[in-house]
Amino acid sequence: SHVANHDKGKVADSLDKASEEQEDVDSLRIDTEGDNSVATTDKDAFRMNQRETEAHQVKLQHLCRICGGSFKADPYKRSHPVHGPVDNVMQAVLRKKEKRATSWPELLAKVFKIDVRGDIDTIHPTNFCHNCWHFIQKKFSNVPCKVYFPRKGPVEWHPHSSNCEVCGTLSRGVKRKLQALNPQVNKKLRIMARRARQIRPVRTPKQVNSKSLMKKIVNCNKIHLSTKNFAVDYPADFVKAVSCQICEHILADPVETTCKHLFCRVCILKCLKVMGSYCPACLYPCFPTDLVSPVKSFLSILNNLPLRCPVKECDEEISLEKYCHHLSSHKDVKDKEGYVHINKGGRPRQHLLSLTRRAQKHRLRELKLQVK
């Protein structure tokens, strides 16, 4: 019995060892299977991210770099490369304005204040729409057209993420187009609108035909030159072209509106402030930020126009550019038409420090008035 018990104990020990070895093998199998599953999930996630980024990049090719609009909105599907050369039409517009630009990044930096040279293809679109192209053309040509930038500023682009706006908006789809109305209904609406217009006339802004009112607002007789000072009898159309359309004086610091009308800078700013934000000549909407200086060739023609000196004893012809310098050279002239007398007393002017304190105060007051 003792030997039998001893043999049973050996058998039990061998069974325990075998069960432990089997458990170790099973645990090793589970660990290897877990590692393989983690590796496969990582690979699947990487592939999914790669597919999403590729799809995101494909969707970016259908959007405008500047305004973020879709090229599908344009029936002709027109687009322009952001990093490409400037086309011939825009080159002709820039040539008219005496400006130069060879590539689109230069123009985009001038108009929209954005630098596209550091763009990344996975984040930024590579083209911009034809509406933004029209906006650039309007900015440089000052042609009155109904093209407006749809946003306050250019779109800020971000890398692809789970809450990506580009993928979210494009996946939702485009809004359904409105159905065309029945022609009979359209005709009825037109008749009703015409009758309402006959009963109650539409209020329109009052046209300012009286130039005397604008001249009173501007009141620039003392600072601007009259067209009567021209040394040559020019045709009336030419005189009108080089004169301000508000004060009818020779253009001083001329500016050009979007509707191609010329004004003195002081005159147009005063009129816009008092009368409203529209052109005094044609009532087209106009703002102080839209005012630009004319082309250099026109300014050179304007500055080289000959004027006659208003001083009686001097019949010299001077160009408009040198007119103020010529008048300042007349020191001892008593005629007040050409300039304001500096020395009103009979004695020669003494140095400021050699005067008494009371005379110094009086002299400083006169100098301040002259500066004003």
Side-chain angles (χ1 to χ4, degrees), residues 208-219 246 248:
V208 182
N209 293 323
S210 58
K211 289 193 174 181
S212 59
L213 177 61
M214 289 190 285
K215 285 181 181 178
K216 285 180 182 179
I217 292 169
V218 173
N219 192 17
I246 296 174
E248 296 181 349

Side-chain angles (χ1 to χ4, degrees), residues 169-182:
T169 52
L170 286 176
S171 63
R172 282 197 291 272
V174 188
K175 288 183 179 179
R176 188 180 296 174
K177 292 183 180 179
L178 294 173
Q179 294 180 355
L181 292 172
N182 195 5

Side-chain angles (χ1 to χ4, degrees), residues 211 227 230 235-245 249 251 262:
K211 289 193 174 181
T227 53
F230 280 130
D237 293 334
F238 180 79
V239 174
K240 189 177 179 181
V242 295
S243 59
C244 177
Q245 297 198 24
H249 294 146
L251 286 166
L262 291 169

Side-chain angles (χ1 to χ4, degrees), residues 333-344:
V333 181
K334 295 180 181 179
D335 193 357
K336 297 182 181 179
E337 295 175 2
Y339 72 103
V340 180
H341 290 289
I342 296 173
N343 186 6
K344 295 182 180 179

Side-chain angles (χ1 to χ4, degrees), residues 111-153:
V111 178
F112 298 105
K113 304 292 185 296
I114 54 171
D115 187 15
V116 297
R117 291 185 177 90
D119 284 4
I120 305 169
D121 292 344
T122 55
I123 300 174
H124 304 90
T126 55
N127 296 325
F128 63 96
C129 63
H130 199 66
N131 186 48
C132 295
W133 183 89
H134 264 303
F135 186 80
I136 298 169
Q137 186 189 21
K138 175 199 167 189
K139 198 78 175 176
F140 283 102
S141 62
N142 292 332
V143 178
C145 59
K146 296 180 179 179
V147 177
Y148 299 100
F149 193 61
R151 293 172 171 269
K152 292 183 180 179

Side-chain angles (χ1 to χ4, degrees), residues 110-361:
K110 287 180 183 177
V111 178
F112 298 105
K113 304 292 185 296
I114 54 171
D115 187 15
V116 297
R117 291 185 177 90
D119 284 4
I120 305 169
D121 292 344
T122 55
I123 300 174
H124 304 90
T126 55
N127 296 325
F128 63 96
C129 63
H130 199 66
N131 186 48
C132 295
W133 183 89
H134 264 303
F135 186 80
I136 298 169
Q137 186 189 21
K138 175 199 167 189
K139 198 78 175 176
F140 283 102
S141 62
N142 292 332
V143 178
C145 59
K146 296 180 179 179
V147 177
Y148 299 100
F149 193 61
R151 293 172 171 269
K152 292 183 180 179
V155 180
E156 293 183 3
W157 299 95
H158 303 286
H160 177 66
S161 61
S162 59
N163 298 324
C164 182
E165 294 181 0
V166 175
C167 302
T169 52
L170 286 176
S171 63
R172 282 197 291 272
V174 188
K175 288 183 179 179
R176 188 180 296 174
K177 292 183 180 179
L178 294 173
Q179 294 180 355
L181 292 172
N182 195 5
Q184 293 181 355
V185 178
N186 281 345
K187 188 176 181 181
K188 189 185 286 186
L189 289 172
R190 282 202 301 271
I191 293 168
M192 288 170 64
R194 196 185 307 138
R195 286 177 181 172
R197 212 178 294 120
Q198 289 173 359
I199 296 168
R200 183 178 55 82
V202 180
R203 291 184 180 180
T204 56
K206 294 181 180 179
Q207 295 186 1
V208 182
N209 293 323
S210 58
K211 289 193 174 181
S212 59
L213 177 61
M214 289 190 285
K215 285 181 181 178
K216 285 180 182 179
I217 292 169
V218 173
N219 192 17
C220 60
N221 294 324
K222 294 180 180 179
I223 57 175
H224 292 165
L225 296 171
S226 174
T227 53
K228 296 178 182 178
N229 291 344
F230 280 130
V232 184
D233 189 10
Y234 291 112
D237 293 334
F238 180 79
V239 174
K240 189 177 179 181
V242 295
S243 59
C244 177
Q245 297 198 24
I246 296 174
C247 63
E248 296 181 349
H249 294 146
I250 302 172
L251 286 166
D253 190 13
V255 290
E256 185 180 353
T257 59
T258 51
C259 49
K260 295 285 184 180
H261 292 120
L262 291 169
F263 303 96
C264 304
R265 188 181 292 274
V266 178
C267 301
I268 186 66
L269 289 176
K270 284 184 180 178
C271 273
L272 290 177
K273 191 175 181 180
V274 177
M275 307 297 292
S277 298
Y278 56 88
C279 176
C282 64
L283 300 179
Y284 187 80
C286 178
F287 299 94
T289 52
D290 298 335
L291 302 176
V292 293
S293 58
V295 292
K296 294 178 183 177
S297 54
F298 176 80
L299 293 175
S300 63
I301 293 169
L302 182 67
N303 290 327
N304 290 323
L305 291 175
L307 300 175
R308 187 174 285 107
C309 182
V311 181
K312 289 182 179 179
E313 297 175 359
C314 178
D315 292 331
E316 191 177 347
E317 291 185 2
I318 325 105
S319 62
L320 180 62
E321 193 175 9
K322 300 176 182 177
Y323 185 79
C324 294
H325 180 70
H326 178 77
L327 286 185
S328 63
S329 64
H330 292 287
K331 293 182 180 179
D332 300 328
V333 181
K334 295 180 181 179
D335 193 357
K336 297 182 181 179
E337 295 175 2
Y339 72 103
V340 180
H341 290 289
I342 296 173
N343 186 6
K344 295 182 180 179
R347 297 181 303 170
R349 186 66 78 188
Q350 295 176 343
H351 196 271
L352 188 63
L353 295 176
S354 65
L355 300 172
T356 60
R357 184 169 292 179
R358 187 175 180 183
Q360 283 179 2
K361 288 182 180 179

Side-chain angles (χ1 to χ4, degrees), residues 36-74:
N36 291 330
S37 64
V38 169
T40 52
T41 51
D42 289 341
K43 285 181 182 178
D44 293 339
F46 177 73
R47 286 172 187 169
M48 285 291 291
N49 290 333
Q50 196 172 3
R51 286 174 190 168
E52 286 180 2
T53 51
E54 287 175 358
H56 177 77
Q57 194 170 353
V58 169
K59 289 171 183 176
L60 284 176
Q61 301 304 318
H62 300 288
L63 297 178
C64 174
R65 165 67 178 87
I66 302 163
C67 67
S70 177
F71 297 143
K72 296 177 182 178
D74 187 6

